[in-house]
Each structure stands twice: as C-alpha cells, then as structure tokens.
Amino acid sequence: RMLSSNRSKILFSWLISLATLVVVSCQSTGDVRLRGGGLTAYEGRVEIYYNGLWGTVCDDSWDMNDSRVVCRQLGYDDAVEYYPNAEYGQGSGNIWMDEVSCSGSESALSHCSFPGWGQEDCDHREDVSVVCSFSSSSASDGDVRLVGGSSSEEGRVEIYHNGVWGTVCDDDFSKTDAEVVCRQLGHSTSNVEVHDEAHYGRGSGTIWLDDVNCYGHESRLSHCNHNGWGNQNCDHGEDVGVNCDDTSKIPNTVYLVKPHLVGMT
C-alpha cells in the first residue's frame, strides 16, 4: 500500500508538471494581457509576453491607435481610452516596450514600431493601461457599464443603444438615477455616489441620455424618463459617473464581462 501511495504521488506530481508545461507553452512571444482591472477583464495594465516572461509597456508616446491594437488583439471591438502613470497599479519585472507607435491596423502590438525589446528609459510608474469596449454581440440595447474607475463598482456611466456605446450627461442626474444604474449592474444601492463633470474622464462619441429622471423602482436606466436617445445639449465635460457600494452583491446576477481571449492566466 505504501508503494502504491508513493506511485500515486509521483504520478500526480508528474501530471501537475505536465499541466504547468502545457500552460506555459500556450504563451507565445507578443501575447498581451490586461492586469489590475479587478473583476473586469476588458481593462487594466498592458502586459506583453517575451523571452518567457510577462512585462509591462511604458506610456511614452502611447496613444489611441496603440490602445486599439491591444484591444483588438485581445478580441475586443475597440479601445475606449487609455491611462498613463500606472493607473491600474505598477507592474514588476521587465518593461518590454517603450515609444510604441502603431498605425492602428496591426493585428498585434508586437508588430508596431518600437525601439526593441527591453530598450526603454522608464520605471513602473509609467506603466500604460487601456480600457477596451465590449463586443457588440455581447451587449443589448439599454445595457450599461462603468468605465474608467479603479474597480468594477465605479466609473463613467455608458449605455448601449443602436449598436453603439455612449455616455450620459450629468444634467439633473441624481442619486436615485445612480441607484438604478447600480441595481442594473447587480451592485448594492446602499451607499451610492454621483460624480459629475467627467470625474472618471471624458468619453467619446455619442452622448445618448440627458435630463434623466428615474423614480427609483426601474430595473434599467433606459426605462427612466429622459429627453430621448441622443437629444441633449451637453459635451463630454459633463459625462456623469457613479460609485456603487459593493459591500454586498445581489445573488444570481449575470455580469456583462468578457473574459480574456489571449494570454489568460
């Protein structure tokens, strides 16, 4: 029995080693991933795989074209925005890329122009981060999301309509309106905060809603009174944000979160 037990342990260890080898071998040079975004897989610090190691990317010269390449490489439709200065926390180890310059058409970040692997003059306080947009096939009209916050419970309010994500103006946006947003996302509404004047950064594109007026019982923001889709007199300096208290989750809630498609660990 002792011999059988030892053999079982050896076999188990061998299987674990093999599984680890398979996982490691799945990583290829140039794979990217996002880290530090909490529960949301579509945002975070950009990391890229090279020479058997994950490393970060410096924010020097980074722009939306670079961000779009990262997001599309991960399987998302596009980039919403990017953040310099280690917005999602400082990485560790190697900084693999600096002075990245993409045209926006590249299929992988490693195909963009840059000085060379590990050729940089940065530290991890300059780690760049991106926020990607959901695939349109994952969203339904009236879905909401929070973008630009430090966790999935806060950020700029965006709503999906007519195949496009857009923002919500802060005119007359109240705590009651914010509670509807948080409830729709499955968060607690016990301690909700409203932030006006693009507190979580300016969005881009369409501003879908203005003068929102919820009673508080609505299950979706789109069910509240408003001026009509796209009828507004705002600019993105008035994009509203909310912070939901997440001390307790409403059970049996489905989150509109897309998993990593590449470099998942």
Side-chain angles (χ1 to χ4, degrees), residues 34-40 43-45 47 87-89 149-151:
L34 303 179
R35 285 293 181 266
L39 296 176
T40 53
E43 61 182 323
R45 180 179 62 253
E47 297 189 355
E87 178 73 19
Y88 287 85
S150 60
S151 73

Side-chain angles (χ1 to χ4, degrees), residues 120-194:
E120 46 82 17
D121 59 352
C122 308
D123 60 49
H124 285 295
R125 291 173 295 181
E126 300 171 82
D127 288 342
V128 76
S129 305
V130 303
V131 179
C132 302
S133 63
F134 292 105
S135 171
S136 58
S137 62
S138 299
S140 303
D141 210 76
D143 282 347
V144 294
R145 67 182 183 185
L146 301 179
V147 176
S150 60
S151 73
S152 61
E153 291 82 46
E154 62 175 331
R156 181 178 61 254
V157 179
E158 297 192 353
I159 189 164
Y160 190 78
H161 177 65
N162 201 28
V164 176
W165 285 100
T167 62
V168 178
C169 185
D170 61 17
D171 292 349
D172 297 326
F173 199 92
S174 69
K175 183 177 179 181
T176 301
D177 307 327
E179 288 172 351
V180 172
V181 170
C182 294
R183 185 183 303 113
Q184 182 175 346
L185 288 170
H187 301 306
S188 169
T189 60
S190 62
N191 187 24
V192 173
E193 296 177 345
V194 178

Side-chain angles (χ1 to χ4, degrees), residues 178-221:
E179 288 172 351
V180 172
V181 170
C182 294
R183 185 183 303 113
Q184 182 175 346
L185 288 170
H187 301 306
S188 169
T189 60
S190 62
N191 187 24
V192 173
E193 296 177 345
V194 178
H195 297 284
D196 57 9
E197 298 181 346
H199 178 82
Y200 292 101
R202 293 171 177 246
S204 59
T206 305
I207 300 173
W208 277 131
L209 298 181
D210 188 16
D211 291 323
V212 176
N213 183 16
C214 302
Y215 289 104
H217 63 267
E218 297 89 348
S219 61
R220 297 171 69 82
L221 187 65

Side-chain angles (χ1 to χ4, degrees), residues 37-87:
L39 296 176
T40 53
Y42 56 83
E43 61 182 323
R45 180 179 62 253
V46 178
E47 297 189 355
I48 190 164
Y49 192 78
Y50 175 71
N51 200 29
L53 296 171
W54 287 100
T56 62
V57 179
C58 186
D59 59 20
D60 291 348
S61 302
W62 189 271
D63 62 18
M64 281 301 293
N65 282 335
D66 310 325
S67 304
R68 290 186 178 101
V69 171
V70 169
C71 291
R72 289 169 183 165
Q73 183 177 349
L74 286 168
Y76 297 105
D77 279 357
D78 205 350
V80 176
E81 57 192 311
Y82 68 90
Y83 295 102
N85 303 325
E87 178 73 19

